[in-house]
Amino acid sequence: MSQQSEFNAAGQAYYLAQVDISESLLERVASWWRGLSPQRAAEGSSAVMREYQALVSQSRSRSYAEGVKYHNAAREAATSKPAPESVWDGRDLAAESGKAKASYYVHTAPLRKEIQRGRLDDPEFIKALDEAMQSAGRNLALDAGRLAESGGRDALAEARENDAEVIGWYRKTDADPCGFCAMIASRGAAYSDYMEPDQFHAGCHCQTLPLFRGVEMPAEDARKRDEYLVRWNATEGSGADQLRNFQREFNEERKQRREAAEQSVMADQ
Ligand SMILES: [Zn+2]
């Protein structure tokens, strides 16, 4: 394999590993959640919290290890040497479990509110409570996926900062990105201040990937960059207005696409 194709393959493998890590965690959190009563879930005792933190932390470890593996594989393809150990700061486990705890409280807050509202012998209330339980579980699982993927993103951010061989970086978007990620991807390897490379929402599998001398952005990613840049240039306004317009139009089309896809699935059933 050529340097370039090894580099491309490493990026693709990393991307797919991260999607798998967050999707399999999503399933594990969902099945764990189904075993909790609304009372226990709303209360979030220290035992419940530890279980959630452990689920997130295991996946985040895997994600971080994939980040290190990918950075080394990409660097080796370009420069024929892996990075020295010293480019990685290592994980801050206390900070990570604090973030998981905050995520749990945020996503279970609507459930706590609901539980105080009614009585358990009222069928209407039970139905509403079930719905609040399901929606809290969905949001929590999605956010767990985001936290897990932060592992790999942290590893890459550390390497990007500390590895002198990194000459730039760019956003590789997932198949159906949001307007924010598409806007960042349209910049290619040029980042500016308002484009914080490490902002990712729940459900986003986009990645900020490094570039090295001797290799280029993979053709597939360069094509997307060009496509989004054409869109950007055709967007009305300038500065913050243009940014808002771009995201609004992009997200609106994405929503329509997703609704159309859902409807065609329902028509097939
Ligand atoms: Zn994204």
Side-chain angles (χ1 to χ4, degrees), residues 119-151:
R119 292 169 32 178
L120 289 167
D121 55 1
D122 171 2
E124 285 295 313
F125 170 66
I126 295 294
K127 194 167 160 262
L129 189 58
D130 273 349
E131 275 162 21
M133 186 68 187
Q134 274 177 29
S135 120
R138 242 188 336 264
N139 294 335
L140 187 66
L142 263 179
D143 207 35
R146 181 186 64 86
L147 290 172
E149 284 198 57
S150 308

PDB file of all heavy atoms in Angstrom, residues 119-151:
ATOM      1  N   ARG A 119     -49.790  11.057  40.925  1.00  0.00           N
ATOM      2  CA  ARG A 119     -49.899   9.922  41.839  1.00  0.00           C
ATOM      3  C   ARG A 119     -49.829   8.624  41.055  1.00  0.00           C
ATOM      4  O   ARG A 119     -50.368   8.512  39.958  1.00  0.00           O
ATOM      5  CB  ARG A 119     -51.233  10.003  42.578  1.00  0.00           C
ATOM      6  CG  ARG A 119     -51.306  11.175  43.543  1.00  0.00           C
ATOM      7  CD  ARG A 119     -52.707  11.357  44.043  1.00  0.00           C
ATOM      8  NE  ARG A 119     -53.402  10.045  44.113  1.00  0.00           N
ATOM      9  CZ  ARG A 119     -54.645   9.911  44.566  1.00  0.00           C
ATOM     10  NH1 ARG A 119     -55.320  10.967  44.954  1.00  0.00           N
ATOM     11  NH2 ARG A 119     -55.205   8.728  44.604  1.00  0.00           N
ATOM     12  N   LEU A 120     -49.206   7.627  41.663  1.00  0.00           N
ATOM     13  CA  LEU A 120     -48.942   6.382  40.949  1.00  0.00           C
ATOM     14  C   LEU A 120     -50.213   5.536  40.723  1.00  0.00           C
ATOM     15  O   LEU A 120     -50.152   4.516  40.047  1.00  0.00           O
ATOM     16  CB  LEU A 120     -47.879   5.556  41.676  1.00  0.00           C
ATOM     17  CG  LEU A 120     -46.465   6.160  41.572  1.00  0.00           C
ATOM     18  CD1 LEU A 120     -45.516   5.514  42.549  1.00  0.00           C
ATOM     19  CD2 LEU A 120     -45.925   6.044  40.148  1.00  0.00           C
ATOM     20  N   ASP A 121     -51.349   5.953  41.284  1.00  0.00           N
ATOM     21  CA  ASP A 121     -52.587   5.211  40.990  1.00  0.00           C
ATOM     22  C   ASP A 121     -53.404   5.889  39.887  1.00  0.00           C
ATOM     23  O   ASP A 121     -54.536   5.507  39.616  1.00  0.00           O
ATOM     24  CB  ASP A 121     -53.437   5.015  42.258  1.00  0.00           C
ATOM     25  CG  ASP A 121     -53.746   6.337  42.952  1.00  0.00           C
ATOM     26  OD1 ASP A 121     -53.305   7.399  42.430  1.00  0.00           O
ATOM     27  OD2 ASP A 121     -54.421   6.319  43.990  1.00  0.00           O
ATOM     28  N   ASP A 122     -52.808   6.883  39.252  1.00  0.00           N
ATOM     29  CA  ASP A 122     -53.489   7.576  38.149  1.00  0.00           C
ATOM     30  C   ASP A 122     -52.916   7.073  36.814  1.00  0.00           C
ATOM     31  O   ASP A 122     -51.750   7.297  36.515  1.00  0.00           O
ATOM     32  CB  ASP A 122     -53.262   9.089  38.322  1.00  0.00           C
ATOM     33  CG  ASP A 122     -53.740   9.886  37.121  1.00  0.00           C
ATOM     34  OD1 ASP A 122     -54.288   9.287  36.169  1.00  0.00           O
ATOM     35  OD2 ASP A 122     -53.542  11.110  37.125  1.00  0.00           O
ATOM     36  N   PRO A 123     -53.733   6.366  35.992  1.00  0.00           N
ATOM     37  CA  PRO A 123     -53.214   5.781  34.746  1.00  0.00           C
ATOM     38  C   PRO A 123     -52.649   6.826  33.774  1.00  0.00           C
ATOM     39  O   PRO A 123     -51.666   6.560  33.085  1.00  0.00           O
ATOM     40  CB  PRO A 123     -54.428   5.076  34.129  1.00  0.00           C
ATOM     41  CG  PRO A 123     -55.560   5.242  35.050  1.00  0.00           C
ATOM     42  CD  PRO A 123     -55.151   6.051  36.214  1.00  0.00           C
ATOM     43  N   GLU A 124     -53.255   8.007  33.726  1.00  0.00           N
ATOM     44  CA  GLU A 124     -52.748   9.071  32.857  1.00  0.00           C
ATOM     45  C   GLU A 124     -51.320   9.452  33.273  1.00  0.00           C
ATOM     46  O   GLU A 124     -50.443   9.662  32.442  1.00  0.00           O
ATOM     47  CB  GLU A 124     -53.632  10.324  32.978  1.00  0.00           C
ATOM     48  CG  GLU A 124     -54.964  10.214  32.267  1.00  0.00           C
ATOM     49  CD  GLU A 124     -54.773  10.108  30.760  1.00  0.00           C
ATOM     50  OE1 GLU A 124     -53.986  10.903  30.206  1.00  0.00           O
ATOM     51  OE2 GLU A 124     -55.400   9.211  30.143  1.00  0.00           O
ATOM     52  N   PHE A 125     -51.150   9.544  34.580  1.00  0.00           N
ATOM     53  CA  PHE A 125     -49.832   9.913  35.109  1.00  0.00           C
ATOM     54  C   PHE A 125     -48.808   8.830  34.803  1.00  0.00           C
ATOM     55  O   PHE A 125     -47.676   9.120  34.404  1.00  0.00           O
ATOM     56  CB  PHE A 125     -49.923  10.176  36.617  1.00  0.00           C
ATOM     57  CG  PHE A 125     -48.584  10.330  37.265  1.00  0.00           C
ATOM     58  CD1 PHE A 125     -47.755  11.413  36.950  1.00  0.00           C
ATOM     59  CD2 PHE A 125     -48.128   9.400  38.189  1.00  0.00           C
ATOM     60  CE1 PHE A 125     -46.505  11.549  37.539  1.00  0.00           C
ATOM     61  CE2 PHE A 125     -46.874   9.531  38.774  1.00  0.00           C
ATOM     62  CZ  PHE A 125     -46.069  10.601  38.457  1.00  0.00           C
ATOM     63  N   ILE A 126     -49.197   7.563  34.961  1.00  0.00           N
ATOM     64  CA  ILE A 126     -48.288   6.446  34.687  1.00  0.00           C
ATOM     65  C   ILE A 126     -47.827   6.485  33.231  1.00  0.00           C
ATOM     66  O   ILE A 126     -46.658   6.272  32.926  1.00  0.00           O
ATOM     67  CB  ILE A 126     -48.977   5.081  34.975  1.00  0.00           C
ATOM     68  CG1 ILE A 126     -49.303   4.956  36.465  1.00  0.00           C
ATOM     69  CG2 ILE A 126     -48.130   3.909  34.530  1.00  0.00           C
ATOM     70  CD1 ILE A 126     -48.082   4.883  37.367  1.00  0.00           C
ATOM     71  N   LYS A 127     -48.762   6.814  32.341  1.00  0.00           N
ATOM     72  CA  LYS A 127     -48.426   6.886  30.924  1.00  0.00           C
ATOM     73  C   LYS A 127     -47.415   8.014  30.664  1.00  0.00           C
ATOM     74  O   LYS A 127     -46.411   7.833  29.975  1.00  0.00           O
ATOM     75  CB  LYS A 127     -49.709   7.113  30.119  1.00  0.00           C
ATOM     76  CG  LYS A 127     -49.538   6.883  28.650  1.00  0.00           C
ATOM     77  CD  LYS A 127     -50.898   6.810  27.930  1.00  0.00           C
ATOM     78  CE  LYS A 127     -50.721   7.061  26.450  1.00  0.00           C
ATOM     79  NZ  LYS A 127     -51.016   8.450  26.060  1.00  0.00           N
ATOM     80  N   ALA A 128     -47.678   9.169  31.251  1.00  0.00           N
ATOM     81  CA  ALA A 128     -46.776  10.310  31.083  1.00  0.00           C
ATOM     82  C   ALA A 128     -45.404  10.007  31.689  1.00  0.00           C
ATOM     83  O   ALA A 128     -44.363  10.381  31.140  1.00  0.00           O
ATOM     84  CB  ALA A 128     -47.378  11.555  31.726  1.00  0.00           C
ATOM     85  N   LEU A 129     -45.429   9.293  32.801  1.00  0.00           N
ATOM     86  CA  LEU A 129     -44.164   8.946  33.464  1.00  0.00           C
ATOM     87  C   LEU A 129     -43.338   7.988  32.602  1.00  0.00           C
ATOM     88  O   LEU A 129     -42.120   8.132  32.480  1.00  0.00           O
ATOM     89  CB  LEU A 129     -44.471   8.315  34.825  1.00  0.00           C
ATOM     90  CG  LEU A 129     -43.279   8.074  35.755  1.00  0.00           C
ATOM     91  CD1 LEU A 129     -42.548   9.376  36.047  1.00  0.00           C
ATOM     92  CD2 LEU A 129     -43.732   7.423  37.058  1.00  0.00           C
ATOM     93  N   ASP A 130     -44.022   7.013  31.992  1.00  0.00           N
ATOM     94  CA  ASP A 130     -43.349   6.089  31.073  1.00  0.00           C
ATOM     95  C   ASP A 130     -42.681   6.839  29.935  1.00  0.00           C
ATOM     96  O   ASP A 130     -41.547   6.541  29.550  1.00  0.00           O
ATOM     97  CB  ASP A 130     -44.366   5.113  30.451  1.00  0.00           C
ATOM     98  CG  ASP A 130     -44.569   3.892  31.335  1.00  0.00           C
ATOM     99  OD1 ASP A 130     -43.775   3.724  32.281  1.00  0.00           O
ATOM    100  OD2 ASP A 130     -45.533   3.135  31.074  1.00  0.00           O
ATOM    101  N   GLU A 131     -43.407   7.809  29.417  1.00  0.00           N
ATOM    102  CA  GLU A 131     -42.851   8.585  28.304  1.00  0.00           C
ATOM    103  C   GLU A 131     -41.638   9.398  28.752  1.00  0.00           C
ATOM    104  O   GLU A 131     -40.627   9.454  28.052  1.00  0.00           O
ATOM    105  CB  GLU A 131     -43.919   9.510  27.708  1.00  0.00           C
ATOM    106  CG  GLU A 131     -44.763   8.774  26.677  1.00  0.00           C
ATOM    107  CD  GLU A 131     -46.078   9.470  26.368  1.00  0.00           C
ATOM    108  OE1 GLU A 131     -46.189  10.687  26.622  1.00  0.00           O
ATOM    109  OE2 GLU A 131     -47.008   8.770  25.889  1.00  0.00           O
ATOM    110  N   ALA A 132     -41.747  10.005  29.937  1.00  0.00           N
ATOM    111  CA  ALA A 132     -40.611  10.789  30.465  1.00  0.00           C
ATOM    112  C   ALA A 132     -39.413   9.879  30.691  1.00  0.00           C
ATOM    113  O   ALA A 132     -38.262  10.248  30.434  1.00  0.00           O
ATOM    114  CB  ALA A 132     -41.006  11.470  31.768  1.00  0.00           C
ATOM    115  N   MET A 133     -39.680   8.661  31.140  1.00  0.00           N
ATOM    116  CA  MET A 133     -38.627   7.673  31.388  1.00  0.00           C
ATOM    117  C   MET A 133     -37.935   7.301  30.082  1.00  0.00           C
ATOM    118  O   MET A 133     -36.714   7.267  29.995  1.00  0.00           O
ATOM    119  CB  MET A 133     -39.297   6.457  32.048  1.00  0.00           C
ATOM    120  CG  MET A 133     -38.363   5.380  32.525  1.00  0.00           C
ATOM    121  SD  MET A 133     -37.340   5.906  33.919  1.00  0.00           S
ATOM    122  CE  MET A 133     -36.254   4.474  34.047  1.00  0.00           C
ATOM    123  N   GLN A 134     -38.742   7.050  29.056  1.00  0.00           N
ATOM    124  CA  GLN A 134     -38.165   6.669  27.766  1.00  0.00           C
ATOM    125  C   GLN A 134     -37.346   7.795  27.157  1.00  0.00           C
ATOM    126  O   GLN A 134     -36.263   7.574  26.633  1.00  0.00           O
ATOM    127  CB  GLN A 134     -39.274   6.280  26.793  1.00  0.00           C
ATOM    128  CG  GLN A 134     -39.664   4.823  26.931  1.00  0.00           C
ATOM    129  CD  GLN A 134     -40.810   4.456  26.016  1.00  0.00           C
ATOM    130  OE1 GLN A 134     -40.970   5.062  24.953  1.00  0.00           O
ATOM    131  NE2 GLN A 134     -41.606   3.488  26.419  1.00  0.00           N
ATOM    132  N   SER A 135     -37.879   9.002  27.249  1.00  0.00           N
ATOM    133  CA  SER A 135     -37.156  10.097  26.612  1.00  0.00           C
ATOM    134  C   SER A 135     -35.874  10.425  27.383  1.00  0.00           C
ATOM    135  O   SER A 135     -34.824  10.678  26.776  1.00  0.00           O
ATOM    136  CB  SER A 135     -38.100  11.293  26.405  1.00  0.00           C
ATOM    137  OG  SER A 135     -37.643  12.413  27.075  1.00  0.00           O
ATOM    138  N   ALA A 136     -35.912  10.334  28.725  1.00  0.00           N
ATOM    139  CA  ALA A 136     -34.676  10.547  29.500  1.00  0.00           C
ATOM    140  C   ALA A 136     -33.641   9.488  29.144  1.00  0.00           C
ATOM    141  O   ALA A 136     -32.449   9.792  28.976  1.00  0.00           O
ATOM    142  CB  ALA A 136     -34.981  10.519  30.994  1.00  0.00           C
ATOM    143  N   GLY A 137     -34.082   8.234  28.997  1.00  0.00           N
ATOM    144  CA  GLY A 137     -33.163   7.146  28.665  1.00  0.00           C
ATOM    145  C   GLY A 137     -32.514   7.332  27.304  1.00  0.00           C
ATOM    146  O   GLY A 137     -31.315   7.118  27.138  1.00  0.00           O
ATOM    147  N   ARG A 138     -33.331   7.781  26.341  1.00  0.00           N
ATOM    148  CA  ARG A 138     -32.795   8.024  24.993  1.00  0.00           C
ATOM    149  C   ARG A 138     -31.738   9.124  25.020  1.00  0.00           C
ATOM    150  O   ARG A 138     -30.651   8.979  24.466  1.00  0.00           O
ATOM    151  CB  ARG A 138     -33.937   8.454  24.069  1.00  0.00           C
ATOM    152  CG  ARG A 138     -34.190   7.529  22.914  1.00  0.00           C
ATOM    153  CD  ARG A 138     -35.192   8.048  21.888  1.00  0.00           C
ATOM    154  NE  ARG A 138     -36.151   9.037  22.359  1.00  0.00           N
ATOM    155  CZ  ARG A 138     -37.389   8.752  22.778  1.00  0.00           C
ATOM    156  NH1 ARG A 138     -37.806   7.506  22.813  1.00  0.00           N
ATOM    157  NH2 ARG A 138     -38.201   9.721  23.150  1.00  0.00           N
ATOM    158  N   ASN A 139     -32.070  10.232  25.697  1.00  0.00           N
ATOM    159  CA  ASN A 139     -31.121  11.345  25.739  1.00  0.00           C
ATOM    160  C   ASN A 139     -29.849  10.990  26.502  1.00  0.00           C
ATOM    161  O   ASN A 139     -28.751  11.380  26.109  1.00  0.00           O
ATOM    162  CB  ASN A 139     -31.779  12.571  26.385  1.00  0.00           C
ATOM    163  CG  ASN A 139     -32.910  13.104  25.523  1.00  0.00           C
ATOM    164  OD1 ASN A 139     -32.911  12.902  24.306  1.00  0.00           O
ATOM    165  ND2 ASN A 139     -33.884  13.763  26.146  1.00  0.00           N
ATOM    166  N   LEU A 140     -30.033  10.239  27.583  1.00  0.00           N
ATOM    167  CA  LEU A 140     -28.871   9.835  28.380  1.00  0.00           C
ATOM    168  C   LEU A 140     -27.951   8.922  27.569  1.00  0.00           C
ATOM    169  O   LEU A 140     -26.732   9.087  27.571  1.00  0.00           O
ATOM    170  CB  LEU A 140     -29.349   9.119  29.651  1.00  0.00           C
ATOM    171  CG  LEU A 140     -28.255   8.781  30.654  1.00  0.00           C
ATOM    172  CD1 LEU A 140     -27.659  10.049  31.247  1.00  0.00           C
ATOM    173  CD2 LEU A 140     -28.802   7.891  31.774  1.00  0.00           C
ATOM    174  N   ALA A 141     -28.549   7.961  26.848  1.00  0.00           N
ATOM    175  CA  ALA A 141     -27.752   7.022  26.051  1.00  0.00           C
ATOM    176  C   ALA A 141     -26.988   7.757  24.946  1.00  0.00           C
ATOM    177  O   ALA A 141     -25.804   7.505  24.721  1.00  0.00           O
ATOM    178  CB  ALA A 141     -28.657   5.946  25.452  1.00  0.00           C
ATOM    179  N   LEU A 142     -27.661   8.711  24.297  1.00  0.00           N
ATOM    180  CA  LEU A 142     -26.998   9.488  23.236  1.00  0.00           C
ATOM    181  C   LEU A 142     -25.832  10.291  23.798  1.00  0.00           C
ATOM    182  O   LEU A 142     -24.767  10.379  23.202  1.00  0.00           O
ATOM    183  CB  LEU A 142     -27.988  10.466  22.611  1.00  0.00           C
ATOM    184  CG  LEU A 142     -28.691  10.058  21.335  1.00  0.00           C
ATOM    185  CD1 LEU A 142     -29.646  11.162  20.905  1.00  0.00           C
ATOM    186  CD2 LEU A 142     -27.681   9.778  20.214  1.00  0.00           C
ATOM    187  N   ASP A 143     -26.048  10.881  24.974  1.00  0.00           N
ATOM    188  CA  ASP A 143     -24.988  11.680  25.570  1.00  0.00           C
ATOM    189  C   ASP A 143     -23.846  10.798  26.068  1.00  0.00           C
ATOM    190  O   ASP A 143     -22.682  11.199  26.030  1.00  0.00           O
ATOM    191  CB  ASP A 143     -25.550  12.546  26.704  1.00  0.00           C
ATOM    192  CG  ASP A 143     -24.706  13.794  26.895  1.00  0.00           C
ATOM    193  OD1 ASP A 143     -24.193  14.316  25.877  1.00  0.00           O
ATOM    194  OD2 ASP A 143     -24.528  14.228  28.044  1.00  0.00           O
ATOM    195  N   ALA A 144     -24.184   9.577  26.508  1.00  0.00           N
ATOM    196  CA  ALA A 144     -23.138   8.624  26.902  1.00  0.00           C
ATOM    197  C   ALA A 144     -22.233   8.349  25.699  1.00  0.00           C
ATOM    198  O   ALA A 144     -21.008   8.295  25.822  1.00  0.00           O
ATOM    199  CB  ALA A 144     -23.759   7.333  27.413  1.00  0.00           C
ATOM    200  N   GLY A 145     -22.852   8.208  24.520  1.00  0.00           N
ATOM    201  CA  GLY A 145     -22.086   7.978  23.293  1.00  0.00           C
ATOM    202  C   GLY A 145     -21.135   9.134  23.008  1.00  0.00           C
ATOM    203  O   GLY A 145     -19.984   8.938  22.638  1.00  0.00           O
ATOM    204  N   ARG A 146     -21.625  10.344  23.222  1.00  0.00           N
ATOM    205  CA  ARG A 146     -20.784  11.528  23.014  1.00  0.00           C
ATOM    206  C   ARG A 146     -19.608  11.529  23.998  1.00  0.00           C
ATOM    207  O   ARG A 146     -18.465  11.767  23.617  1.00  0.00           O
ATOM    208  CB  ARG A 146     -21.613  12.800  23.190  1.00  0.00           C
ATOM    209  CG  ARG A 146     -20.843  14.098  22.973  1.00  0.00           C
ATOM    210  CD  ARG A 146     -21.693  15.329  23.302  1.00  0.00           C
ATOM    211  NE  ARG A 146     -22.063  15.396  24.709  1.00  0.00           N
ATOM    212  CZ  ARG A 146     -21.316  15.945  25.669  1.00  0.00           C
ATOM    213  NH1 ARG A 146     -20.154  16.493  25.355  1.00  0.00           N
ATOM    214  NH2 ARG A 146     -21.719  15.948  26.916  1.00  0.00           N
ATOM    215  N   LEU A 147     -19.903  11.224  25.263  1.00  0.00           N
ATOM    216  CA  LEU A 147     -18.835  11.191  26.277  1.00  0.00           C
ATOM    217  C   LEU A 147     -17.804  10.125  25.942  1.00  0.00           C
ATOM    218  O   LEU A 147     -16.604  10.338  26.078  1.00  0.00           O
ATOM    219  CB  LEU A 147     -19.418  10.942  27.672  1.00  0.00           C
ATOM    220  CG  LEU A 147     -20.221  12.092  28.274  1.00  0.00           C
ATOM    221  CD1 LEU A 147     -20.903  11.651  29.568  1.00  0.00           C
ATOM    222  CD2 LEU A 147     -19.332  13.301  28.534  1.00  0.00           C
ATOM    223  N   ALA A 148     -18.285   8.948  25.486  1.00  0.00           N
ATOM    224  CA  ALA A 148     -17.352   7.871  25.138  1.00  0.00           C
ATOM    225  C   ALA A 148     -16.450   8.313  23.988  1.00  0.00           C
ATOM    226  O   ALA A 148     -15.233   8.154  24.044  1.00  0.00           O
ATOM    227  CB  ALA A 148     -18.117   6.611  24.761  1.00  0.00           C
ATOM    228  N   GLU A 149     -17.043   8.922  22.966  1.00  0.00           N
ATOM    229  CA  GLU A 149     -16.233   9.345  21.815  1.00  0.00           C
ATOM    230  C   GLU A 149     -15.252  10.461  22.178  1.00  0.00           C
ATOM    231  O   GLU A 149     -14.281  10.693  21.463  1.00  0.00           O
ATOM    232  CB  GLU A 149     -17.127   9.762  20.632  1.00  0.00           C
ATOM    233  CG  GLU A 149     -17.715   8.556  19.912  1.00  0.00           C
ATOM    234  CD  GLU A 149     -18.241   8.884  18.516  1.00  0.00           C
ATOM    235  OE1 GLU A 149     -17.465   9.390  17.686  1.00  0.00           O
ATOM    236  OE2 GLU A 149     -19.440   8.613  18.262  1.00  0.00           O
ATOM    237  N   SER A 150     -15.510  11.157  23.288  1.00  0.00           N
ATOM    238  CA  SER A 150     -14.539  12.169  23.735  1.00  0.00           C
ATOM    239  C   SER A 150     -13.190  11.542  24.042  1.00  0.00           C
ATOM    240  O   SER A 150     -12.167  12.220  24.004  1.00  0.00           O
ATOM    241  CB  SER A 150     -14.986  12.855  25.027  1.00  0.00           C
ATOM    242  OG  SER A 150     -16.268  13.333  24.928  1.00  0.00           O
ATOM    243  N   GLY A 151     -13.176  10.251  24.383  1.00  0.00           N
ATOM    244  CA  GLY A 151     -11.915   9.577  24.674  1.00  0.00           C
ATOM    245  C   GLY A 151     -10.959   9.695  23.496  1.00  0.00           C
ATOM    246  O   GLY A 151      -9.843  10.219  23.622  1.00  0.00           O
TER     247      GLY A 151
END
